[in-house]
Amino acid sequence: MRRYVTACIETRNGSLPVTHLAAWAAERLQAPLKLVHVVDDEDICLDTDFACYAGLGGHEEMIDSWCSSALLRSHHQVEQSQHLLNELQQELQEHTASHIYQEQYHGHLIETLNAHELEIRTLVVGKTGHSFQLEQSTLGHHIEPLLRTFAGNILIAPHSYQQVPDRFMLAFDGSVHAEEILEKVVSSPMLASLPCHLVMVNETPYTHHALIRAQERLHQTGFEVTTTLLRGSIAEAIAEFQTQQHIPLLVMGAYSHSKLHNWVFGSHTNTILNHTDASVLVLR
């Protein structure tokens, strides 16, 4: 089965950070790129104004009118979706050598992406989604459900995409889960040869030795490593360091029982995603 770097497009205004990051990922992975837009049929029903049918004489006439209106809205959304995909594909073909495909899905966003998970090598989504017009720190409604349910790697594009990732930051706490993520990093073609900022928050004698081993492991596999020790609240210290150093890519793992990797649910995740202007790669 062919597997794609899949860019999930939600709105035109928020599409450029997603498509540019997806094109970068596709080139790094030497994988085909697919642009996907999910038309949520439920939204068509919810947007229908039933008040306009209140004066109709019969129930059957009301249903016929509603169906006609819903079909028109559905047809219009499908046309808009196809136009958006065509436009973005044409723009990308001028800037990338990757093979670009497109596909239009119908259904609920999260359920649809999970249903196609086997053909997705890396999923790229926007941080804000439909909330693009709001503040930069606003998280889209789709982020937490995706992190909870999607089994593949997820790249989260920031509100505004300013540079191609040329280095990345990895927070490490010495736990078994952190060791697992470290092995995923060293075997990832997407991250190969990129300089790594290895960060530990609130170091202890035990975690110090684990940090040294992690640094050596990265060196052995060809990474240029800069190690930094931070103090303070885990999420805030990480987000602040990333912002100060202008690191374009933050790498983390899915949730575990350790304090650091509890980001994916709860205040740590929200704090980091709300305050970082970096792209975020969640490794599975």
Side-chain angles (χ1 to χ4, degrees), residues 25-78:
E27 290 188 2
R28 295 286 300 182
L29 295 172
Q30 293 296 293
L33 171 60
K34 180 184 283 188
L35 306 178
V36 165
H37 186 248
V38 180
V39 178
D40 194 336
D41 297 325
E42 184 177 321
D43 288 342
I44 297 171
C45 297
L46 292 176
D47 287 344
T48 302
D49 183 7
F50 288 96
C52 65
Y53 302 116
L56 295 176
H59 180 67
E60 184 175 335
E61 185 178 353
M62 181 185 72
I63 293 177
D64 288 343
S65 298
W66 175 82
C67 287
S68 297
S69 175
L71 285 172
L72 286 173
R73 291 179 62 82
S74 177
H75 181 69
H76 180 62
Q77 283 205 10
V78 168

Side-chain angles (χ1 to χ4, degrees), residues 138-275:
T138 302
L139 285 181
H141 68 282
H142 59 309
I143 294 296
E144 184 175 341
L146 275 175
L147 292 176
R148 284 181 181 275
T149 62
F150 191 77
N153 296 338
I154 302 175
L155 256 177
I156 304 174
H159 187 271
S160 58
Y161 185 69
Q162 299 177 346
Q163 70 176 101
V164 170
D166 56 358
R167 54 200 170 111
F168 69 94
M169 173 178 164
L170 175 66
F172 185 81
D173 68 352
S175 66
V176 172
H177 187 71
E179 297 280 358
E180 293 172 352
I181 297 305
L182 178 66
E183 290 306 310
K184 294 181 190 300
V185 167
V186 300
S187 62
S188 170
M190 189 184 301
L191 301 174
S193 76
L194 294 180
C196 172
H197 289 263
L198 183 64
V199 172
M200 177 171 280
V201 183
N202 301 329
E203 178 196 34
T204 67
Y206 170 78
T207 59
H208 171 77
H209 293 295
L211 180 65
I212 297 301
R213 291 195 302 270
Q215 182 176 308
E216 292 175 350
R217 176 71 174 128
L218 288 164
H219 277 307
Q220 290 169 358
T221 49
F223 287 92
E224 175 188 331
V225 184
T226 301
T227 303
T228 304
L229 301 176
L230 303 174
R231 306 295 297 180
S233 168
I234 292 174
E236 293 176 0
I238 291 170
E240 182 178 356
F241 181 77
Q242 178 277 316
T243 301
Q244 290 175 347
Q245 300 297 316
H246 305 288
I247 301 171
L249 180 64
L250 173 62
V251 178
M252 66 184 200
Y255 79 102
S256 75
H257 297 294
S258 79
K259 188 176 181 181
L260 177 60
H261 293 284
N262 196 32
W263 291 353
V264 178
F265 310 128
S267 60
H268 288 326
T269 300
N270 290 339
T271 300
I272 292 171
L273 291 177
N274 279 330
H275 291 87

